[in-house]
Amino acid sequence: MTRSGAGLFAALALTLAATPTPAQPPAPPPPARYNAVLRYHITSARDQHVRHYDALVDFLKQQGFAFVPALDTFPDSDREDRTKTTFSGTIGSANFLRLFRNTHVAALLLTPPGYTLPAAPDQPVAVRLELAPGFTPRRQQDLARQARVLLRQLGFVEAAGYDDRGYTRRPHTRLVGTVPAAQLQVAKDDPYPLPPLLKDLRSQPGGWLGPRILLEDLPAPLAQVSPLLVIEVLPDAAPPKGLAASAPRDDFALTRISDDLWAIASRKEDDSRVVRMEVLLAYTPDEKERGWREALAVAAPSVYVEGRIGSIVTVQARARDARGLAALPLVSTVRLARPARVGIDPAVKIDGDNARALRQSGLERLHRRGARGQGVRLVVIDADFQGHEELMDGKHLPKVTKYIDLTAERNDDLLPDPPAGDPKFLGHGTRCALAAALAAPDADLTLVRIDPAAPHQLLEVAKFINGAGVSTEYLTQRQDELSAEAATLRQRLRELLDEREKVLRNFEDEKNFETDYGILGTAGVWLFSERQWHYLRMEELERDERDHRRREVRYLRLIRALQDLRGAQVVSCALVWNTGYPLSATSPLSRWFDDNPSLKFLWFQSAGNTAGQNWNGLFRDADDNGVMEFAAPDAPLPRGRWTRELNFLGWRPWAGKESADLPAGARVRLALQWREPHDPDFFFRPGEWDVYRQPLASLRLVVLHQRDPGAKVLPADAFEVVARSEPLPQRLDNQPTSSTYELLLEFPVDKAGRYAVRVERQRSSQWELLVDPRNGREAVGLVDGLTPTGIRPLGTNTLPALEKQWELRTRLFVETVDEASVRQGRPVFLDFATARGTLGVPGDARAVVSVGAAGLDDKRRPYSADGAAANLDYLVKPDVLAYDALRLGKEETGVAFGASLATPFAAGLAACLRSDGMRPADLWRYLHQRPGGVLRAPAGK
């Protein structure tokens, strides 16, 4: 015997009518009346059937059900016809739930007035399906999952992001999606004239003589109740189409190539381009190990290694060679290089007051007493120092300001790359230098330009400052090239000297040579005059020797300049890598600072202008539906929201009012990073399958576009999926006991509007349509064991006593990656942003002084990052705040702002304190006395 879902629905509906219900999405008002098809179920025989039929008709009349056609047109035989199970008519939208008070009402199909089903049978129709309620939460969830299995056989495509609480406001009592129009139409040859979806779902889909799935093969609770009570057709003229699946890659190894690099490598017209890539190795090689280099060179003949930081190797290679690199067992991921970004718009004007900033910070007092940074070497590191030369006038920047451009080392001619910034504005690094010079005008200032897509250069500069020998991959190559070229030039000189005696013995008169053969140019010289040809080759040699000497001079100057970095006391760096590298102070760059006990300098690091762009916390899934909740179940919901499983995105321009809509044209990147413990017995071994290349936690990012935020036509929870991440993440770091993974998702904002993100996780079990091997019949069965139960890989033999449980903590970061949008503003999380985890690399290191921005009112700027490092709740960051309201530039025009500008100002203040006699240890303690407070000179200074 089956349970009466209708009766349970009625009881719950009546109970909940007088009790508070959870927030629900705004929706347009329903029509006054629905067109309805009602399926009833009366099993009584003969006279009892007639009595129950009459009672049902009377009940429907009382509830306002208007029969179409009218009742008086029905034949009398209908009252006793047990094969007749439907009524058609209209019902008020306020009353249709009351129909289920009668236990004979089995299901209801509702369509809005004036709605006509599409003629094409395969045309999708939007529907909202109410499920039978009344079970415990876990059993109710099972019913919904089991119903999905059967509905998929009918062509049901489930929507994403909708509220699954039905009219009872209980979870898992509603399904929303589309079905083919044929499932709502009566088939001509159907002996029981009912739309297929209105029939008992358990008899669908039908076979030749009956249902393909027998009732006895159905699991509980599906076997106990007909799952669909209300099928409501939604007035959605164009329901969203499903997101097209990306083209599969031929080999698993190719999935190790990032999407952005694959887009280049898979295009025939682009695959020969030389691009900068990052090869993420499956382990961290020792400093002297060379095997990985040889493996890369064999797999990709065009590859050139630029540098390595931990397990991340920066290379240049043709795009097509990414395939060969990804096929190497020792490679985890191949991707395009990730540049550090400084989020500001140089055109934005913010009121600056240098005199007030100097006065409030105590620098004015220090300057009066002669502590102006003299004798202190201050290094400013950035990616763009455009326009700094014209400001080296002693007023803005010291006349003896030194400049080192590390981009020169990778060019054959040892000339730096062209300026990367907008020529209309001073380079960002130039503004940082001006801020440092404003704070410490007499400091020995050195500007160092590095490539923002080469974090190994930043590490190299830190090592040079700390006293390491000057040696890099590129400098070694340049030295080898100069040596080889010098040998070639010497050989050419010897050959020319040997032939000079022969040329000088030739006394042939060539005074008419130009007249006779000048028109032939060099070819004529080569054919008709050994003497002239010799002179031309000598001139060419002299030119090449001059060029060689110039390159040698540039090389030696660069070497000396890098050597001169040794002993600098204060360093300021504005470059931050917010994604692409392990956080929680576990990146190779951050670890170098923290693990080096002999640091000889004070490193000031920008905290970044990323407030609101981050969520960091525990992966919660209280209802076990495989979707992460961004807040605890008892946390209040933001106004206008109905779920904790969606995190809506908004837009904060650098100047202007925040918007809930993302702007059209922006390209947004989401990065989900997590670290998970692993069993060291399964750590990467050459020649064996890398079992942890696939993480224990199988996560997915989904971006949804809210179709009608104002709920004028559609409910507010009507979404379309605009992007979905691939299941294989990048592995950023692989250690014997743990690994760090990052899942990336980039999407273009094709049209301005409201967007939300959600995080999904593979559940350990799911219901599927299976074939029972015992009888060969189809059945709905539970497939389990889909995820690991501990820290060992899936499918590994283990014992319960050996299983180690762990908590999954994730960090989700959002940013724009197109330069136009970066200059305009930044995307933020409107609902569930956290301060914890906002800092990037290397600001999450304990040994650096991270700096945030403060206004002259001594309050933290709303855009400045603030909060502990990711998953390090007790590491309070930033360490200090500094003023960024500074007027900088020639003739005091042009304004800069942000944490990246506050950082050199703080570094300049530290230089002044050093010049005033404060010892390094005392200065370090002073900087950490008031974490997050505005940095000022001590009152006694």
Side-chain angles (χ1 to χ4, degrees), residues 571-866:
V571 183
S572 168
C573 178
L575 300 178
V576 183
W577 286 267
N578 290 299
T579 64
Y581 302 93
L583 298 172
S584 306
T586 60
S587 69
L589 186 56
S590 298
R591 284 204 308 267
W592 184 87
F593 286 101
D594 287 343
D595 296 345
N596 197 326
S598 58
L599 288 181
K600 301 173 183 177
F601 53 80
L602 197 60
W603 188 286
F604 286 82
Q605 177 65 46
S606 170
N609 301 326
T610 55
Q613 293 177 232
N614 171 81
W615 182 91
N616 180 213
L618 182 67
F619 189 103
R620 300 182 182 89
D621 187 11
D623 58 357
D624 192 33
N625 68 341
V627 182
M628 188 183 79
E629 294 139 13
F630 287 93
D634 56 350
L637 282 168
R639 185 175 181 181
R641 303 291 190 243
W642 59 92
T643 179
R644 298 172 182 85
E645 294 178 350
L646 294 177
N647 210 345
F648 277 82
L649 301 174
W651 184 258
R652 287 182 188 166
W654 296 118
K657 188 178 179 182
E658 180 177 281
S659 171
D661 293 349
L662 292 183
R667 186 166 187 85
V668 178
R669 173 193 288 160
L670 291 155
L672 182 71
Q673 187 177 130
W674 72 96
R675 190 173 188 84
E676 56 188 38
H678 288 166
D679 189 329
D681 289 344
F682 296 89
F683 184 61
F684 170 78
R685 296 183 181 92
E688 296 183 10
W689 180 250
D690 187 0
V691 293
Y692 283 125
R693 181 59 191 89
Q694 182 73 41
L696 301 175
S698 182
L699 304 181
R700 171 169 282 180
L701 285 170
V702 181
V703 176
L704 307 173
H705 174 237
Q706 192 176 20
R707 301 177 62 203
D708 188 1
K712 297 178 180 178
V713 178
L714 299 172
D717 64 342
F719 293 94
E720 61 180 336
V721 178
V722 296
R724 183 183 289 114
S725 65
E726 296 298 325
L728 188 68
Q730 297 179 13
R731 186 170 61 186
L732 306 181
D733 182 48
N734 190 32
Q735 301 296 329
T737 58
S738 64
S739 294
T740 300
Y741 299 89
E742 186 173 81
L743 197 61
L744 276 188
L745 179 59
E746 288 187 17
F747 69 97
V749 182
D750 294 328
K751 54 184 177 182
R754 308 269 175 97
Y755 292 81
V757 59
R758 73 175 189 169
V759 181
E760 300 174 349
R761 182 178 186 178
Q762 172 64 52
R763 299 184 69 254
S764 61
S765 63
Q766 63 187 32
W767 293 93
E768 295 287 353
L769 189 61
L770 308 172
V771 175
D772 191 333
R774 296 170 299 181
N775 53 31
R777 296 200 303 259
E778 287 183 308
V780 177
L782 185 65
V783 180
D784 54 15
L786 299 177
T787 59
T789 56
I791 67 172
R792 291 190 163 201
L794 181 65
T796 303
N797 293 329
T798 185
L799 296 173
L802 298 178
E803 293 288 359
K804 296 180 180 179
Q805 302 303 312
W806 57 284
E807 280 189 338
L808 174 60
R809 300 183 70 87
T810 60
R811 187 255 195 179
L812 181 62
F813 191 85
V814 61
E815 60 184 337
T816 49
V817 294
D818 61 297
E819 290 299 328
S821 298
V822 169
R823 291 183 178 277
Q824 294 303 313
R826 56 201 180 94
V828 294
F829 292 114
L830 293 178
D831 302 328
F832 302 108
T834 63
R836 180 182 62 248
T838 309
L839 272 72
V841 173
D844 56 354
R846 293 175 175 83
V848 305
V849 180
S850 56
V851 183
L856 294 175
D857 57 359
D858 290 337
K859 295 180 180 179
R860 182 182 63 85
R861 293 289 199 185
Y863 42 75
S864 182
D866 178 62

Side-chain angles (χ1 to χ4, degrees), residues 117 131 192 389 442 463 478 494 501 550 607 638 641 727 773 791 837 849 880 890 892:
L117 285 172
L131 302 180
Y192 303 100
E389 299 94 340
D442 292 343
K463 289 179 177 179
R478 298 288 89 82
R494 283 194 295 268
E501 182 178 356
R550 293 191 189 101
R641 303 291 190 243
I791 67 172
V849 180
V880 296
K890 194 85 180 239
E892 307 306 330

Side-chain angles (χ1 to χ4, degrees), residues 277-311:
M277 309 177 193
E278 289 178 336
V279 179
L280 281 60
L281 302 178
Y283 69 105
T284 302
D286 294 330
E287 289 297 327
K288 297 181 180 180
E289 183 179 342
R290 308 287 296 183
W292 60 270
R293 291 173 178 270
E294 298 169 0
L296 297 185
V298 171
S302 70
V303 75
Y304 175 76
V305 176
E306 292 187 353
R308 178 174 69 87
I309 179 168
S311 61

Side-chain angles (χ1 to χ4, degrees), residues 301-368:
S302 70
V303 75
Y304 175 76
V305 176
E306 292 187 353
R308 178 174 69 87
I309 179 168
S311 61
I312 301 178
V313 184
T314 303
V315 304
Q316 285 194 34
R318 290 188 176 90
R320 61 171 172 263
D321 283 338
R323 299 170 182 264
L325 294 171
L328 290 173
L330 58 81
V331 170
S332 290
T333 299
V334 186
R335 68 187 189 193
L336 292 179
R338 259 339 149 73
R341 296 188 179 276
V342 178
I344 62 168
D345 181 0
V348 171
K349 303 298 182 183
I350 293 182
D351 291 336
D353 190 335
N354 293 354
R356 185 178 173 187
L358 294 173
R359 184 172 62 253
Q360 292 185 184
S361 63
L363 278 167
E364 182 184 58
R365 189 170 65 254
L366 287 174
H367 290 177
R368 282 201 306 267

Side-chain angles (χ1 to χ4, degrees), residues 15-76:
T15 302
L16 292 168
T19 60
T21 58
Q24 59 186 29
R33 296 186 70 84
Y34 284 107
N35 294 325
V37 179
L38 183 147
R39 178 171 67 86
Y40 62 88
H41 186 60
I42 301 176
T43 59
S44 308
R46 297 185 179 180
D47 295 345
Q48 279 192 326
H49 186 280
V50 173
R51 286 197 297 269
H52 289 158
Y53 179 93
D54 291 341
L56 174 60
V57 169
D58 291 340
F59 171 78
L60 295 178
K61 290 179 180 179
Q62 293 171 8
Q63 304 306 320
F65 188 90
F67 292 86
V68 178
L71 274 176
D72 55 13
T73 63
F74 287 19
D76 290 341

